Amino acid sequence: MRGKNFGFVAGCNSGTDALILSLKAAGVNRGDEVITVSHTAIPTVAAIVSAGAIPVFVDIDPATWVMDVRNVKAAVTPKTKAIVPVHLYGNMVDVHAIKKILRELNRGDIKIVEDCAQAQGSTLQNLQAGTIGDFGAFSFYPSKNIGALGDAGAVFTADESAHKKILSYRNYGQKDRYHADVIGGLNSRLDEIQAAVLSVKLKHLHTWIAQKSRLMDAYRTALADTPLTFQTVTQGCSPAWNLCVVKLDENFSRDDFQARLLDAGLQTLVHYPLPNHLQPAFKNFCRTPLPVTESLANQILSLPFSHALDESTLNKITAIIKSVAAQLK
Ligand SMILES: Cc1ncc(COP(=O)(O)O)c(C=O)c1O
């Protein structure tokens, strides 16, 4: 399918598959290196490893909580085949800055696969997430800004030949029926029922994004005088918030704070408590210390956040948080 303001879209089974299909179409092979962050959902890294590549972790920016592009240059080696910037919680990585670094290094061969699972509708300098790099990998898991009733995903690319490869890879490696043209094909079709649900929900995306934006502003205002800080928005980004994540001041224990909130009737989550480079499956891939990632993972918590949240419920939530935070002092 051809998109309106960008190249081509291929539906697939999940965001994880969208990443794997993109990496395959980018020509990533066994032993190639793919630069990404450790502070992301496990599937980002699982997809890189499933594509046969070695994840090379770079640290995040202490304010924006996404890939610190200043770390990219030092991570590039002759084996680097792709970079996966992750647009986390709705905020975006400065993909333009990564492209500039690759131009300066004369490494136009390195492909950029934007992980947009949490950034449906976010823009950077008015360009949609997923349309700035070579590939945009989207998830429509039910918790995303547009969620299907089950798993679903999509890959955007402006490169027609890469798009055709993705169509083959998602269909057992077949170019057309009974003709396999690529090795390593999957069964990763987008289920018709999920596609029908998504096409209805798509009409509401902008309304839901606007509501989440109002809720985020209300959280930021209400919690301004607490030991909680919010993610700084990357310059030029207009985020479509997927999650509302706050960081507790390092003088306090996040686990204690979370337990006190729960006692007061408020459940919170942590996205994500153990960074990928410390996960048993991936720890052997860790090459450099990632102090910003580790300290953030210890202090963050995710507040209730949905387009369906109303203002009076949000006020009750912030009242609980403020009273629990006051006890910490
Ligand atoms: C940042 C990120 N990348 C990739 C994925 C994988 O998406 P899916 O669950 O649709 O496979 C997710 C989903 O949780 C995610 O949050």
Side-chain angles (χ1 to χ4, degrees), residues 10-287:
C12 64
N13 187 259
S14 66
T16 308
D17 276 4
L19 288 164
I20 295 172
L21 293 165
S22 302
L23 292 166
K24 283 175 180 278
V28 168
N29 279 311
R30 193 153 298 281
D32 289 336
E33 293 178 0
V34 174
I35 298 170
T36 193
V37 285
S38 172
H39 184 60
T40 178
I42 287 174
T44 309
V45 183
I48 292 170
V49 176
S50 292
I54 298 164
V56 174
F57 298 114
V58 294
D59 216 346
I60 51 170
D61 179 273
T64 62
W65 306 349
V66 292
M67 179 180 278
D68 188 336
V69 292
R70 292 167 298 188
N71 295 325
V72 168
K73 192 172 172 182
V76 172
T77 76
K79 288 186 172 178
T80 308
K81 201 62 178 258
I83 301 181
V84 180
V86 183
H87 302 313
L88 204 67
Y89 311 141
N91 193 27
M92 287 181 67
V93 181
D94 186 351
V95 183
H96 296 295
I98 299 176
K99 287 169 92 169
K100 186 164 176 266
I101 291 165
L102 295 181
R103 273 198 305 274
E104 282 164 7
L105 292 173
N106 204 14
R107 291 296 306 271
D109 59 306
I110 298 177
K111 302 292 182 200
I112 299 175
V113 177
E114 296 174 62
D115 183 337
C116 305
Q118 298 186 15
Q120 302 161 355
S122 296
T123 60
L124 185 69
Q125 291 162 10
N126 294 323
L127 294 174
Q128 289 286 333
T131 65
I132 309 169
D134 298 283
F135 299 90
F138 286 80
S139 163
F140 302 115
Y141 182 73
S143 66
K144 307 304 181 198
N145 281 349
I146 326 175
L149 297 178
D151 284 306
V155 180
F156 291 12
T157 182
D159 176 343
E160 188 167 11
S161 82
H163 172 67
K164 284 185 176 159
K165 279 188 201 157
I166 285 168
L167 297 181
S168 291
Y169 280 121
R170 76 166 183 185
N171 186 27
Y172 319 124
Q174 294 182 133
K175 190 172 175 185
D176 41 45
R177 190 175 273 192
Y178 309 133
H179 292 106
D181 67 327
V182 289
I183 290 174
L186 314 169
N187 169 358
S188 189
R189 291 178 288 250
L190 172 58
D191 182 283
E192 274 93 351
I193 292 179
Q194 305 304 346
V197 169
L198 290 169
S199 63
V200 173
K201 285 193 163 186
L202 189 57
K203 298 184 186 105
H204 302 280
L205 179 65
H206 290 291
T207 312
W208 291 340
I209 289 174
Q211 170 64 354
K212 283 180 128 178
S213 177
R214 279 192 291 276
L215 294 168
M216 181 61 92
D217 289 346
Y219 264 131
R220 286 179 184 241
T221 306
L223 301 177
D225 296 324
T226 64
L228 299 172
T229 47
F230 287 79
Q231 191 174 16
T232 299
V233 175
T234 300
Q235 212 183 350
C237 172
S238 174
W241 295 113
N242 181 228
L243 295 172
C244 178
V245 178
V246 289
K247 181 186 176 201
L248 180 66
D249 187 294
E250 268 144 32
N251 292 319
F252 305 109
S253 151
R254 188 264 317 276
D255 295 347
D256 172 54
F257 184 56
Q258 251 199 317
R260 287 171 189 244
L261 288 173
L262 195 57
D263 280 350
L266 182 67
Q267 189 184 27
T268 55
L269 298 174
V270 178
H271 298 87
Y272 301 94
L274 185 65
N276 282 284
H277 71 287
L278 301 178
Q279 296 283 350
F282 307 134
K283 64 175 192 273
N284 289 342
F285 296 117
C286 185
R287 290 181 186 174

